[in-house]
Amino acid sequence: MENFLNLHREAVSGVISTFDRLIFKGHLNSFFPNGAFNRYLDQCGVLLVNAKKFLEKESYIIKSHAITMAENAGRPYIYLEGAHTHNSKQSKEAKAREIATKDGINEGLVCVFSVLETCHSFSIVGRWKTHRLEIIRKRRKCLHFYWYFIDPIFGWMHVRLQSWAPYSMQVYVNGREWMASKLNSLKIVYSKSDNKITHISDFAITDKLSIDFTEILWPSFLESLAKKVNPLLPNIIDKGFSGYWWVIDQAEYATDILFKDRSELERIHNSTLSHLTF
């Protein structure tokens, strides 16, 4: 990278390096130790023989909450037929963006999707040797809910919640979206194409914002989202179990090199590609 910049320093106007796609996963870790989820059911006054009905009721509460959030915001709640919308050559995000464009949504909730997807979950099984019911973890399918937002601070983002215990969550944010939002609030002149900044009047600002992004108080932000989408969380905490434990599941860091003139970039484009190692 340094060699490339030194070679073309006269043609380069600046460099923007920052986080791009960032995916957090939230897990209710206090459910996972041996016997922990059984204790949760005990705290809720639920026998193992009635656990399936109880979990179905909790799943219904999450679904009702998702529908109500959409209705209160005047936004669509849509059930997607397949776990992947790629069969229709359209991802869930592309579909949500299409809805935002069609309805002229610039901020707030765009839509809520529900889709049947595979997950790791708790199930109640009978052991014929012991003649007792037990709680096990296994793969199964359940409804997952996707909230797509245009956040005033983080821009385009989504939250995904599994409707069956242990109610795992996923939060997607984009560092470039966040940076663009900050540049707007600071009234910095810049140009943007898709997820890329193609021109900016002050590279010192982007350098500072790249550092600021790493210093965001992520736990409080993520916890606020969990409280917003999971109506079961207050009761879980009230029963003596901790909230979500957050981890970074995916992180992409990208560097953009901006040229002063398009013709200069086109001049070196082919030769640069020919030297790339795949």
Side-chain angles (χ1 to χ4, degrees), residues 22-222:
L22 197 58
I23 295 179
F24 296 92
K25 289 287 181 71
H27 304 284
L28 293 173
N29 281 1
S30 56
F31 278 169
F32 297 147
N34 288 339
F37 195 68
N38 203 341
R39 289 194 298 274
Y40 171 66
L41 295 177
D42 288 342
Q43 289 288 329
C44 294
V46 178
L47 298 175
L48 285 184
V49 69
N50 299 320
K52 183 179 178 181
K53 288 184 178 179
F54 172 76
L55 295 175
E56 287 174 347
K57 180 182 177 182
E58 293 212 318
S59 180
Y60 178 77
I61 290 171
I62 293 176
K63 179 180 179 179
S64 298
H65 181 69
I67 293 172
T68 299
M69 278 187 67
E71 289 177 346
N72 288 344
R75 303 307 306 143
Y77 169 90
I78 302 171
Y79 173 73
L80 301 177
E81 292 291 339
H84 300 284
T85 53
H86 297 291
N87 292 335
S88 61
K89 297 183 179 180
Q90 187 180 47
S91 67
K92 287 185 282 292
E93 180 173 330
K95 187 175 181 66
R97 287 185 180 272
E98 183 181 90
I99 291 171
T101 300
K102 178 175 67 72
D103 295 348
I105 304 300
N106 298 311
E107 188 173 313
L109 182 65
V110 174
C111 59
V112 181
F113 294 149
S114 64
V115 58
L116 198 63
E117 293 180 335
T118 303
C119 64
H120 288 283
S121 186
F122 291 121
S123 292
I124 315 301
V125 298
R127 300 296 189 188
W128 67 271
K129 286 186 178 180
T130 61
H131 302 288
R132 298 183 64 180
L133 296 175
E134 293 182 11
I135 297 172
I136 63 168
R137 290 190 68 195
K138 62 180 290 187
R139 289 188 67 80
R140 57 167 293 155
K141 285 189 174 182
C142 76
L143 275 181
H144 288 68
F145 300 96
Y146 288 79
W147 286 262
Y148 282 89
F149 298 96
I150 301 177
D151 186 81
I153 297 175
F154 288 93
W156 188 268
M157 58 171 294
H158 80 249
V159 180
R160 174 183 184 260
L161 177 63
Q162 176 181 321
S163 70
W164 198 269
Y167 317 115
S168 298
M169 282 187 63
Q170 172 180 295
V171 176
Y172 165 92
V173 296
N174 189 293
R176 301 301 182 86
E177 290 275 345
W178 176 86
M179 181 175 284
S181 174
K182 287 293 185 181
L183 292 173
N184 289 335
S185 66
L186 294 170
K187 302 188 184 312
I188 302 297
V189 176
Y190 73 99
S191 301
K192 190 169 181 279
S193 175
D194 191 20
N195 193 38
K196 299 174 290 296
I197 293 174
T198 56
H199 167 77
I200 188 163
S201 60
D202 189 345
F203 283 96
I205 290 293
T206 59
D207 291 343
K208 181 182 182 302
L209 290 175
S210 295
I211 295 172
D212 290 348
F213 186 76
T214 66
E215 298 175 350
I216 292 171
L217 299 177
W218 291 108
S220 59
F221 168 67
L222 297 168

